[in-house]
């Protein structure tokens, strides 16, 4: 059993029971469970409430997350979801996203251990994005939307705590990225001139889907001089020629 498993199995164990909130926050940070920001203490009661939306055995292995290849079980994921501030209705999407990342073609080991500054981005499509209120507009990559921030953060905490992607230990990126705090958005299907991504990949439009990508943090393309389409495209092309490379 891990230290976290023991804590959840025994409500009076560890440094959470009977402690003040400040002491609980310090305890979680001292255990190395956090991303550097304060977390919601993963008490047994909070974890059990998170698992109310789980239809699998709580100790079943969902995936093995590299580079540690720790077994991701619902109870371990629930603890990380609690710490990230998620609500129970977010939990099924978290499980699906981490299952997608564990598919061999995603190559999570390389994403977790590369010296490049990439992070898994969650792109959510279909009814679930609307039901959960995942933002796809002005706040998609920024502050202000709990569900975007918390789901993305729960993924990162699981990649650290279960997968072992600890900066300088398992995560060998030469410098960090803000995308490694939280990276979850919805596709703006209503405003897009193209069919949604999940439809282009063979799913029905009314199907909920999550796609995962290993990518850098957003890069702004700014053109304050052009008055023609050609000028704007030239600016975009010049920007594209410089980003997305591990050089």
């Amino acid at each position: 059993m891990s230290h976290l498993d023991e804590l959840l199995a025994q409500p009076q164990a560890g440094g959470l029971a009977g402690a003040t909130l400040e002491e609980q926050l310090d305890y979680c940070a001292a255990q190395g469970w956090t991303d550097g920001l304060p977390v919601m203490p993963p008490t047994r009661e909070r974890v059990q409430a998170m698992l109310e939306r789980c239809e699998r055995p709580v100790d079943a292995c969902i995936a093995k997350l590299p580079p540690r290849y720790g077994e991701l079980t619902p109870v371990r994921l629930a603890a990380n979801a609690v710490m990230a501030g998620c609500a129970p209705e977010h939990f099924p999407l978290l499980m699906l996203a981490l299952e997608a990342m564990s598919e061999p073609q995603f190559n999570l080991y390389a994403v977790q251990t590369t010296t490049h500054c990439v992070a898994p981005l969650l792109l959510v499509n279909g009814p679930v994005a609307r039901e959960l209120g995942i933002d796809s507009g002005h706040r998609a990559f920024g502050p202000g939307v709990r569900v975007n921030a918390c789901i993305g953060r729960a993924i990162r905490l699981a990649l650290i705590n279960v997968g072992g992607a600890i900066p300088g230990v398992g995560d060998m990126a030469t410098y960090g990225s803000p995308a490694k705090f939280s990276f979850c958005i919805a596709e703006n299907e209503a405003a897009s001139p193209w069919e949604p991504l999940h439809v282009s990949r063979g799913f029905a439009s009314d199907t909920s889907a999550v796609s995962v990508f290993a990518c850098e943090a957003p890069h702004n393309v700014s053109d304050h001089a052009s008055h023609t389409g050609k000028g704007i495209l030239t600016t975009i092309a010049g920007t594209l020629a410089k980003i997305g490379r591990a050089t």
Side-chain angles (χ1 to χ4, degrees):
M1 265 191 171
S2 71
H3 188 188
L4 181 56
D5 292 331
E6 292 175 354
L7 174 66
L8 297 175
Q10 303 175 32
Q12 300 305 315
L16 299 184
T20 66
L21 177 59
E22 290 75 14
E23 291 169 339
Q24 291 177 335
L25 294 178
D26 289 343
Y27 181 80
C28 291
Q31 305 310 305
W33 294 345
T34 82
D35 52 7
L37 295 171
V39 296
M40 178 68 72
T43 62
R44 185 180 183 186
E45 293 73 22
R46 291 185 180 124
V47 171
Q48 288 176 331
M50 186 67 64
L51 290 170
E52 289 179 1
R53 295 297 295 269
C54 180
E55 298 179 353
R56 311 187 195 192
V58 297
D59 57 352
C61 181
I62 302 171
K64 292 187 177 182
L65 303 183
R68 180 187 292 156
Y69 289 99
E71 288 195 356
L72 181 71
T73 61
V75 70
R76 290 177 179 174
L77 179 55
N80 285 281
V82 167
M83 288 194 287
C86 288
E89 56 264 29
H90 304 160
F91 192 73
L93 180 59
L94 290 172
M95 287 198 294
L96 291 176
L98 283 160
E99 282 185 305
M101 289 180 203
S102 67
E103 292 289 331
Q105 57 266 39
F106 185 75
N107 196 5
L108 183 58
Y109 179 86
V111 175
Q112 289 269 74
T113 62
T114 180
T115 57
H116 197 37
C117 56
V118 297
L121 166 66
L122 273 62
L123 179 62
V124 185
N125 284 100
V128 68
R130 296 184 290 273
E131 291 167 5
L132 296 181
I134 302 174
D135 196 84
S136 62
H138 297 290
R139 302 176 297 174
F141 287 108
V145 183
R146 175 187 175 185
V147 61
N148 290 51
C150 291
I151 289 178
R153 190 185 186 201
I155 294 293
R156 172 52 49 186
L157 289 176
L159 293 177
I160 293 173
N161 291 326
V162 182
I166 301 165
V169 180
D171 176 354
M172 304 310 295
T174 51
Y175 59 92
S177 164
K180 290 190 176 183
F181 281 98
S182 179
F183 219 15
C184 172
I185 62 170
E187 182 175 357
N188 193 342
E189 299 176 17
S192 175
W194 300 286
E195 64 181 9
L197 175 65
H198 72 308
V199 174
S200 71
R201 297 184 65 84
F203 294 95
S205 60
D206 59 352
T207 298
S208 295
V210 58
S211 304
V212 292
F213 309 87
C215 58
E216 297 176 356
H219 188 96
N220 190 49
V221 180
S222 182
D223 187 331
H224 297 281
S226 297
H227 297 282
T228 65
K230 181 179 179 180
I232 295 172
L233 287 174
T234 299
T235 301
I236 294 173
T239 305
L240 287 172
K242 301 174 183 177
I243 63 173
R245 300 180 184 180
T247 57

